[in-house]
Amino acid sequence: MAERARQIVEAARELLEKEGADALTMRRIADRLGIRAPSLYKHFPDKQAVELELIAQGLQEQAEALMAATEDEQPLVALGAAYRAYALAHPHLYRLMTAGPLPRHLLPDGLEARAALPLVRIVPDEHRARALWAFAHGMVILELDGRFPPDADLDGAWRVGLAAFAQVAAR
Amino acid sequence: MAERARQIVEAARELLEKEGADALTMRRIADRLGIRAPSLYKHFPDKQAVELELIAQGLQEQAEALMAATEDEQPLVALGAAYRAYALAHPHLYRLMTAGPLPRHLLPDGLEARAALPLVRIVPDEHRARALWAFAHGMVILELDGRFPPDADLDGAWRVGLAAFAQVAAR
DNA sequence: GTCTATATTATGATAGAC
DNA sequence: GTCTATCATAATATAGAC
């Protein structure tokens, strides 16, 4: 990727993280670089291509954070904590990464598999792995969307949920 | 609610269910009733008020479906099945109901509690109830968004996930 | 309670000059 | 690779006549 393209993605990411998806417009991205929106189209074919770079970046980062957690002596607990931490640290990016169909065919080769690897590593059974993923995503997205009561003890819900999946492992 | 207002909500619901959130515009709603968009504002202050009626309708219906499931001899399994069935039968409404912050103060009194009641009834522990809710929502929203591999056995994931929560219940 | 006309505000994207 | 000018599209919502 050329230098200018890199700067565009960087500007897009800052905008998304700081102001959310609504602020992620071609004009705002261009503003940040001191150029005009139409100039962006010399570097990317359309807006979706810029978003795709952000999604790929997020998946890669998340994969690295989760993989580190699998080294923990309580990998399931560490994985849950790492999943939640990444989502809360990058709420808008997390939403972009997880909302709507994944444009699989446009992602770098093997990235989706790499993102799933930490989970597969500590939860080999595919049903259990998918159930655990759903639990983690559900917890995170409900928290980000403010759907839990404001005074809910989410640490407690995470603890109990992860314990449930640990038990299934042991049976 | 006056008759015309009821018709507006009905038209809005049909549009949402059949064509999704993008089709839910004041123009399209008016079209369906053979009137012009500005006329709608004689019956509702703004679009959000119409959407709010749809959300309330969905929460009420869902609560009824889930409450029936709690009578089953395997209430946890039945509850999971009912949750998934409602979401898959009304995917766009489900998304509207669950995306973004719940406008609690605008909902009919007690509706949110009524929606949570079936779950609370069979899962008295609040941590476990929230964890189970997150699992169910995660499973459903990932399925609706097409995030699971196309060939994934989701029945299997549901089975294993629900079994995990059943075990926690029994300990 | 309905209409027409319009305000207001955006967006992504293209054409063509430089 | 950048610019200006513009297209094409669309949305919610209001004013004021009838």
Side-chain angles (χ1 to χ4, degrees), chain B residues 86-123:
Chain B
Y86 187 83
L88 295 188
H90 311 277
H92 299 297
L93 179 58
Y94 182 83
R95 262 189 244 274
L96 184 68
M97 288 161 57
T98 56
L102 190 65
R104 290 199 168 77
H105 56 292
L106 300 177
L107 285 178
D109 248 21
L111 178 56
E112 189 183 8
R114 213 150 59 240
L117 192 59
L119 187 55
V120 169
R121 171 177 281 189
I122 71 160
V123 184

Side-chain angles (χ1 to χ4, degrees), chain B residues 28-29 39-40 42 58 72 86 88 139 147 154 156 162:
Chain B
R28 294 292 309 276
I29 295 171
S39 305
L40 298 175
K42 296 290 181 178
D72 196 278
Y86 187 83
L88 295 188
M139 284 298 302
R147 302 293 297 206
L154 301 186
L162 291 175

Side-chain angles (χ1 to χ4, degrees), chain B residues 9-91:
Chain B
V9 173
E10 189 185 334
R13 171 129 185 202
E14 285 169 11
L15 261 176
L16 176 65
E17 299 244 34
K18 288 180 185 152
E19 300 187 46
D22 284 356
L24 191 62
T25 71
M26 297 304 261
R27 281 172 229 260
R28 294 292 309 276
I29 295 171
D31 278 355
R32 219 153 220 275
L33 296 173
I35 61 176
R36 304 289 179 170
S39 305
L40 298 175
Y41 292 87
K42 296 290 181 178
H43 305 278
F44 288 93
D46 50 31
K47 187 186 173 185
Q48 205 206 321
V50 179
E51 287 179 343
L52 197 74
E53 289 296 324
L54 296 179
I55 292 170
Q57 227 175 62
L59 288 176
Q60 178 62 35
E61 287 174 11
Q62 190 192 36
E64 287 163 15
L66 297 188
M67 192 53 87
T70 65
E71 310 286 349
D72 196 278
E73 62 183 42
Q74 289 195 71
L76 194 63
V77 172
L79 196 64
Y83 194 98
R84 186 182 181 193
Y86 187 83
L88 295 188
H90 311 277

